[in-house]
Amino acid sequence: MTYCVGLYLREGLVLLSDTRTNAGVDNISTFGKMQVEAVPGERVLTMLSAGNLAITQAVWNRLQEGSG
């Protein structure tokens, strides 16, 4: 089970995600499921992901290729 939450409040956005990728008893791996790319004073792109880690990494890599 993985969790991603986004709250839109009057004060701004609150984004939360967990980092657990494996629910095994003896081997718990972690990976950041929230990626942030910012241009100070202009914009912020935040991606929260849940599900298949390989797809998440592929999408994030594709987005970063376009920002170069």
Side-chain angles (χ1 to χ4, degrees):
M1 177 85 47
T2 188
Y3 301 96
C4 294
V5 177
L7 301 172
Y8 179 62
L9 308 171
R10 273 179 267 165
E11 295 82 11
L13 291 173
V14 176
L15 303 170
L16 305 164
S17 64
D18 67 344
T19 59
R20 191 163 145 169
T21 62
N22 184 337
V25 176
D26 296 329
N27 184 15
I28 297 174
S29 300
T30 61
F31 178 81
K33 296 177 187 175
M34 179 168 46
Q35 286 78 26
V36 179
E37 190 72 34
V39 176
E42 271 190 53
R43 61 186 169 268
V44 176
L45 173 66
T46 303
M47 183 176 83
L48 299 173
S49 60
N52 188 299
L53 184 58
I55 292 173
T56 299
Q57 291 172 334
V59 169
W60 186 246
N61 286 335
R62 180 68 57 97
L63 289 172
Q64 287 184 312
E65 287 174 4
S67 68

